[in-house]
Amino acid sequence: MLGLTLGLIWAAAGMVDATFANRVEAIAVERELPGMAVVVMDADRVVYAEGFGVADLSTEEPVTADTVFQLGSISKQFLAAFVVDLEDAGRLSLDAPLRRHLSDFDQFPADLRLHDLLDHTSGIREPLFEPDFAEGIEDLERSTAEMLFLLRRLPTDFPPGERWSYSNANYLLLAQLVEWMTGMRYEQALAERFFEPLGLSSLGPCPSVPEGADEALGYRMGRDGPELAPLENMDWLRGDGGLCGSARDVARWLRALDSGEALSDRARDRLWQRRTLPDGTRLDYANGFSLLPFGERAKFAHNGATPGFSASAALYPFDDLVIVVLSNLGDVRVDAVERELARRLFLEPPPDYRAVPIEPIGIDAWTGDYDFGAFPGSFVREDGALHVHMPAPAPSARLRYIGDRTFVAESDPDVLQFRFEYRPEGRRVRMRMAGMLWYGDD
């Protein structure tokens, strides 16, 4: 009922087609985006679908809701849904060890289970921080076989299931699992199971070099404005990323998941099922989705980030609302854009990020090095303020104290937030970044 009521408010009051639209366009200008597409669905109705700017600065081809963008890590949810669907069909168990299906990856722990890959509790190190792997992504001539060779050499940093640490290696392995189970490339398996039956014609593998007139080119911010971003080898981004699609089709996909059109009710519930770690931490991530709530509202979402693209796709299941934001500029953190649009649609005020006083000793209480699993974070006091330093692509920033042991990024407080706490095991900081909750221990 709430979703229906809000839908009527948005449509009748003109918030989506007037005030809302003006604000969306202003955001694109403020953030200096070459192009951006935004789609909003209220249940099965597309109540807003617009593009702003251009897909190609050289041709000035305009962006529409049907322009194809790279989706980055939003790609993970399609693969996760396929694996969960395999379990629903009785073809595997998410509790089964990886070695049962991929015996040639026997260098990983014997108790590494499929759900550890899906939920990022495997302990396998993030490959993007490994120099050899990063070089392969930049070389368009390198093969998938070469990527798998390096994947087999990745170390594990903690026992499976012990903690949460985001690693793209997990979904690279899951793509191999799907290919072993189906006997076809995982992209084709996704097309036959989901994209073709659901009529999501824009969704599919990204080419390393853009080919179609409907595909946006990716840009990064240079000294004089947006410039073409470096190309990536899509044969090295299979499962963890590598899919392209339009904002309209991504929104329709989320709606198909929520309505039961894409998966059975049992499989859908399994897809969004939280796990609890041995230390009592209840994960806010499951099967390719961040489950971090939006205030008191349930929210299932994920972001995508590549050198030339930024993406955010969110489902508010109890409000029947879907918001998708795609841009062809890298490192934009469009999850903040999505949240601003959600606040407008829910008639909620913006958060209060005003600074409150903190004694210097209060800053010193949290300085030090913290282990986020995928990367380290160093918190230091500089110029009377707390600063965080993390390796790229994670951001570094000057922080502002807003009370309750919580700091936000001075430059963009809705993008990067930290809340510190004491535990018997030591200090912990919970970082909200890229729409997910990361855990850092000292």
Side-chain angles (χ1 to χ4, degrees):
M1 177 60 70
L2 177 59
L4 176 59
T5 302
L6 284 173
L8 291 175
I9 291 174
W10 301 332
M15 294 183 63
V16 168
D17 60 13
T19 306
F20 182 86
N22 291 337
R23 180 55 192 152
V24 175
E25 185 171 12
I27 289 172
V29 173
E30 291 169 5
R31 293 184 176 261
E32 300 181 82
L33 305 179
M36 181 174 73
V38 175
V39 171
V40 177
M41 291 188 69
D42 171 25
D44 291 326
R45 295 183 302 133
V46 176
V47 296
Y48 183 84
E50 293 292 341
F52 300 89
V54 298
D56 182 338
L57 287 172
S58 65
T59 66
E60 297 187 344
E61 180 70 25
V63 168
T64 73
D66 299 305
T67 298
V68 174
F69 292 79
Q70 288 187 18
L71 302 179
S73 287
I74 290 176
S75 305
K76 290 179 171 67
Q77 63 190 253
F78 302 102
L79 178 54
F82 193 97
V83 175
V84 169
D85 190 55
L86 288 176
E87 181 185 58
D88 193 47
R91 299 186 60 187
L92 55 73
S93 168
L94 301 189
D95 298 323
L98 173 67
R99 289 187 184 182
R100 178 179 299 176
H101 301 290
L102 295 179
S103 58
D104 57 337
F105 286 90
D106 59 359
Q107 80 282 11
F108 294 129
D111 59 346
L112 172 60
R113 304 188 181 278
L114 299 184
H115 64 232
D116 291 315
L117 299 177
L118 288 160
D119 293 346
H120 294 300
T121 59
S122 69
I124 301 174
R125 185 169 297 174
E126 169 55 61
L128 296 183
F129 290 104
E130 300 294 305
D132 289 347
F133 202 94
E135 290 173 7
I137 293 176
E138 297 170 357
D139 185 347
L140 304 191
E141 303 301 320
R142 303 285 291 276
S143 68
T144 299
E146 292 177 273
M147 179 272 289
L148 294 175
F149 174 78
L150 292 179
L151 185 62
R152 289 183 175 90
R153 298 171 59 190
L154 288 175
T156 52
D157 293 326
F158 55 85
E162 183 178 275
R163 63 177 296 188
W164 186 89
S165 180
Y166 193 92
S167 175
N168 284 285
N170 297 319
Y171 280 75
L172 294 170
L173 284 167
L174 288 168
Q176 296 304 303
L177 170 73
V178 166
E179 295 190 349
W180 186 87
M181 296 289 296
T182 64
M184 66 180 74
R185 289 178 64 86
Y186 103 95
E187 298 95 341
Q188 183 60 34
L190 292 181
E192 293 187 8
R193 175 60 184 87
F194 295 129
F195 303 157
E196 293 170 4
L198 296 173
L200 307 175
S201 59
S202 75
L203 290 172
C206 303
S208 295
V209 179
E211 301 169 342
D214 60 344
E215 296 178 35
L217 298 184
Y219 295 89
R220 64 183 178 184
M221 189 57 69
R223 286 185 177 182
D224 301 318
E227 61 185 24
L228 283 172
L231 300 175
E232 291 189 306
N233 183 349
M234 292 300 164
D235 285 334
W236 281 52
L237 299 169
R238 303 186 63 247
D240 60 330
L243 294 183
C244 283
S246 69
R248 189 189 305 274
D249 277 353
V250 174
R252 292 176 57 217
W253 157 256
L254 288 174
R255 178 56 192 157
L257 278 180
D258 192 37
S259 67
E261 184 180 4
L263 294 172
S264 71
D265 290 348
R266 180 175 63 178
R268 178 193 58 196
D269 292 344
R270 176 68 152 155
L271 186 68
W272 295 322
Q273 181 177 320
R274 282 181 168 88
R275 289 171 55 211
T276 301
L277 299 182
D279 67 357
T281 300
R282 191 164 183 253
L283 294 181
D284 284 299
Y285 193 99
N287 304 310
F289 283 90
S290 169
L291 308 183
L292 194 62
F294 182 73
E296 299 298 320
R297 300 179 188 274
K299 177 181 179 179
F300 306 149
H302 213 289
N303 290 350
T306 73
F309 294 87
S310 303
S312 186
L315 165 68
Y316 297 83
F318 299 118
D319 299 289
D320 287 333
L321 175 68
V322 170
I323 303 175
V324 176
V325 182
L326 305 181
S327 171
N328 58 341
L329 183 66
D331 199 26
V332 178
R333 316 293 179 184
V334 292
D335 55 302
V337 176
E338 184 277 319
R339 285 192 295 275
E340 178 180 343
L341 300 184
R343 292 185 191 106
R344 288 179 172 270
L345 296 174
F346 289 131
L347 307 178
E348 294 183 0
D352 185 358
Y353 292 131
R354 288 177 298 179
V356 301
I358 181 173
E359 296 295 329
I361 186 62
I363 294 176
D364 293 337
W366 308 114
T367 57
D369 296 327
Y370 292 75
D371 174 20
F372 287 98
F375 50 83
S378 179
F379 293 82
V380 297
R381 181 154 66 98
E382 299 174 358
D383 303 323
L386 189 65
H387 290 244
V388 60
H389 299 283
M390 298 182 287
S396 296
R398 176 188 172 99
L399 304 180
R400 177 195 307 164
Y401 184 64
I402 61 172
D404 194 26
R405 304 188 305 278
T406 300
F407 295 79
V408 298
E410 190 77 53
S411 58
D412 203 341
D414 206 31
V415 166
L416 187 63
Q417 301 175 7
F418 302 90
R419 189 176 192 278
F420 293 88
E421 60 188 48
Y422 284 112
R423 302 189 309 153
E425 302 88 346
R427 296 179 303 175
R428 166 172 280 188
V429 57
R430 296 174 183 263
M431 174 176 65
R432 197 189 79 183
M433 179 183 74
M436 296 183 287
L437 200 61
W438 309 66
Y439 308 90
D441 298 316
D442 67 357

